[in-house]
């Protein structure tokens, strides 16, 4: 009788209790594709519970994995991944155009709900692959192709034609994209919120100005390591009234006049002016007086700033700034941490020259 009772309890445990507990756990934990496949093999009851939890199968992460292209095709061929929303292939170096073309041919329906696609570092993908994969993703909102030297303006043309809803675009390191490609973006994505143009070395003032005139919803703009722009373009950044994040590291042509115009972006929270060598106190004081929500500021390597700008920042932004980098700013006198905390009581990270 005891054995029968125990067996019944085990059955209840496997069929009812474990699935209920799993459902609770899965709603709070982010399980990987590998984790889910392993769990499928535990018990038939668990298998049914997992398959009935649609939200568990909305993400595929093959970051840095070998044979990722074939793994992705196999996964998308399964009914449970019919409504996948996120795919991460970052640094999955074996992914090629042929994989993306095959996905278009065999798994087209599975990508109709896709919202986020990360192809960072997939250097074997060209415009051909971009055309194939974007044609399957009408709901795509976030698209990242960082460090892809094969993608050109044509790849961006395919993207804007196929994916009308993108609000977050990362083409950092895509050195073969020019003003023409950026023009496609400007004309098609007027609601764009985040754009990363790091090291897109073919861009000129003309391309940047087109973006700034049309993408007025931008909240994040990364222009890291782009030294060719001039104040003619930088002044137009003031059009971005919603801008919160701006990276101008290495903007060698940015002057105080340009920075004063940028200070009209009163919602700035993070500003990177590292190696903006033409900037002086005048430009930074304009930022201090107007951008009072600033939390992060880097003045790294700017020899033309002095204690005057530091005092202005302390007066206007001391209750917000948590990170301040004045390393290499030889015009700012050395201070102890205690002295700096008197100026910026809420700062958590100081970077000062030794």
């Amino acid at each position: 009788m005891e054995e029968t009772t125990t067996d019944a309890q085990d059955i209840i445990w496997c069929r009812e209790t474990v699935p209920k507990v799993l459902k609770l756990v899965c709603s709070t934990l982010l399980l990987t594709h590998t984790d889910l496949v392993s769990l499928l093999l535990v018990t038939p009851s668990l298998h049914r519970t997992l398959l009935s939890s649609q939200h568990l199968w909305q993400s595929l992460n093959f970051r840095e994995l070998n044979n990722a292209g074939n793994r992705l095709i196999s996964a998308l061929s399964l009914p449970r991944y019919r409504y996948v929303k996120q795919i991460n292939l970052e640094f999955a170096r074996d992914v090629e155009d042929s994989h993306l073309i095959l996905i278009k041919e065999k798994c087209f329906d599975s990508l109709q709900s896709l919202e986020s696609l990360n192809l960072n570092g997939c250097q074997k993908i060209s415009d051909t692959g971009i055309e194939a994969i974007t044609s399957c993703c009408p709901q795509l909102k976030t698209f990242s192709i960082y460090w892809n030297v094969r993608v050109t303006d044509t790849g961006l043309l395919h993207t804007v034609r196929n994916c009308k809803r993108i609000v977050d675009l990362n083409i950092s390191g895509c050195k073969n994209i020019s003003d023409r490609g950026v023009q496609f973006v400007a004309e098609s994505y007027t609601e764009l919120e985040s754009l990363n143009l790091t090291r897109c070395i073919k861009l000129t003032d003309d391309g940047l100005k087109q973006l700034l005139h049309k993408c007025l919803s931008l909240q994040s703009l990364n222009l890291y390591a782009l030294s060719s722009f001039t104040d003619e373009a930088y002044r137009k950044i003031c059009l971005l009234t919603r801008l919160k994040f701006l990276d101008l590291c290495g903007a060698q042509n940015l002057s105080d006049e340009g920075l004063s115009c940028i200070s009209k972006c009163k919602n700035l929270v993070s500003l990177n002016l590292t190696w903006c060598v033409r900037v002086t106190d005048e430009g930074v004081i304009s930022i201090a007086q107007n951008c009072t929500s600033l939390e992060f500021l880097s003045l790294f390597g700017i020899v033309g700033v002095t204690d005057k700008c530091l005092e202005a920042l302390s007066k206007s932004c001391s209750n917000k700034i948590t990170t301040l980098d004045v390393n290499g700013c030889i015009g700012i006198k050395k201070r102890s941490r205690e002295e700096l905390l008197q100026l910026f009581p809420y700062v958590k990270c100081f970077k000062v020259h030794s």
Side-chain angles (χ1 to χ4, degrees):
M1 183 68 180
E2 291 181 1
E3 290 182 359
T4 303
T5 302
T6 302
D7 290 342
Q9 290 174 340
D10 287 344
I11 291 172
I12 293 172
W13 173 262
C14 290
R15 291 184 179 178
E16 298 181 16
T17 308
V18 171
K20 286 179 181 177
V21 171
L22 181 68
K23 206 160 190 176
L24 289 172
V25 170
C26 289
S27 65
T28 56
L29 294 180
L30 183 62
L31 299 177
T32 66
H33 172 69
T34 305
D35 293 333
L36 289 170
V37 171
S38 298
L39 285 171
L40 282 174
L41 304 176
V42 177
T43 70
S45 298
L46 209 55
H47 189 281
R48 286 192 294 272
T49 300
L50 286 168
L51 292 184
S52 66
S53 302
Q54 184 178 310
H55 71 279
L56 295 177
W57 310 100
Q58 292 181 349
S59 178
L60 280 167
N61 187 353
F62 295 110
R63 187 181 190 275
E64 295 183 338
L65 293 184
N66 294 325
N67 200 29
N70 291 327
R71 291 187 185 193
L72 178 61
I73 293 170
S74 297
L76 291 176
S77 300
L78 300 172
R80 58 177 175 266
Y81 281 112
R82 186 174 178 81
Y83 302 102
V84 64
K85 290 188 176 182
Q86 298 178 330
I87 294 178
N88 185 355
L89 293 170
E90 188 170 54
F91 300 118
R93 300 180 184 276
D94 70 311
V95 178
E96 302 179 1
D97 288 342
S98 58
H99 293 116
L100 304 186
I101 292 170
L102 200 56
I103 287 172
K104 179 181 178 179
E105 294 174 353
K106 293 189 173 183
C107 313
F108 184 87
D109 291 341
S110 298
L111 296 182
Q112 294 301 294
S113 298
L114 192 70
E115 295 179 358
S116 175
L117 177 60
N118 187 336
L119 298 178
N120 288 344
C122 297
Q123 295 191 33
K124 294 182 180 179
I125 294 175
S126 70
D127 295 335
T128 301
I130 297 297
E131 179 182 21
I133 196 68
T134 57
S135 68
C136 308
C137 314
Q139 305 300 320
L140 199 64
K141 296 179 181 178
T142 300
F143 187 36
S144 187
I145 50 173
Y146 155 77
W147 196 29
N148 189 315
V149 297
R150 296 190 181 189
V151 172
T152 70
D153 297 332
T154 302
L156 279 185
L157 179 59
H158 295 317
T159 301
V160 301
R161 283 177 174 173
N162 294 326
C163 308
K164 306 296 185 182
R165 302 188 178 188
I166 289 179
V167 293
D168 185 340
L169 180 63
N170 183 355
I171 52 175
S172 168
C174 297
K175 65 179 184 179
N176 285 314
I177 288 176
S178 70
D179 288 346
R180 180 169 172 266
V182 168
Q183 182 181 358
F184 298 147
V185 172
E187 292 175 348
S188 302
Y189 297 142
T190 56
E191 299 300 315
L192 197 65
E193 296 176 2
S194 179
L195 179 62
N196 191 335
L197 299 175
T198 295
R199 292 194 173 90
C200 291
I201 56 177
K202 289 188 176 181
L203 300 185
T204 70
D205 279 358
D206 289 340
L208 182 57
K209 284 190 292 183
Q210 288 184 71
L211 278 167
L212 298 175
H213 277 287
K214 295 188 177 182
C215 299
L216 300 178
S217 295
L218 277 171
Q219 297 179 31
S220 176
L221 179 61
N222 196 329
L223 303 177
Y224 182 98
L226 293 171
S227 59
S228 60
F229 297 139
T230 71
D231 268 358
E232 184 180 349
Y234 291 131
R235 285 195 295 266
K236 301 300 181 181
I237 293 177
C238 70
L239 297 172
L240 307 180
T241 57
R242 302 180 189 179
L243 197 63
K244 294 182 179 179
F245 174 95
L246 179 61
D247 193 330
L248 295 172
C249 176
Q252 297 179 10
N253 298 318
L254 176 66
S255 72
D256 290 330
E257 181 186 352
L259 192 55
S260 295
C261 290
I262 291 171
S263 72
K264 295 176 183 178
C265 301
K266 297 181 182 295
N267 292 312
L268 273 178
V269 173
S270 177
L271 178 60
N272 187 357
L273 297 176
T274 297
W275 295 120
C276 293
V277 292
R278 292 184 60 194
V279 168
T280 70
D281 287 335
E282 181 183 344
V284 179
I285 291 172
S286 294
I287 291 292
Q289 293 173 341
N290 294 291
C291 305
T292 55
S293 296
L294 211 58
E295 296 177 10
F296 173 96
L297 177 64
S298 175
L299 303 175
F300 182 100
I302 304 179
V303 297
V305 295
T306 70
D307 285 344
K308 288 182 180 180
C309 76
L310 211 61
E311 292 164 3
L313 287 165
S314 175
K315 183 177 180 180
S316 302
C317 308
S318 63
N319 63 333
K320 291 287 186 177
I321 287 185
T322 57
T323 301
L324 180 61
D325 188 349
V326 294
N327 194 15
C329 300
I330 57 176
I332 294 177
K333 71 177 183 180
K334 297 178 183 179
R335 289 177 171 82
S336 67
R337 182 171 180 82
E338 290 71 25
E339 290 173 323
L340 286 167
L341 283 171
Q342 289 179 357
L343 293 172
F344 304 98
Y346 298 102
V347 79
K348 295 178 181 179
C349 179
F350 279 123
K351 295 182 181 179
V352 298
H353 59 87
S354 56

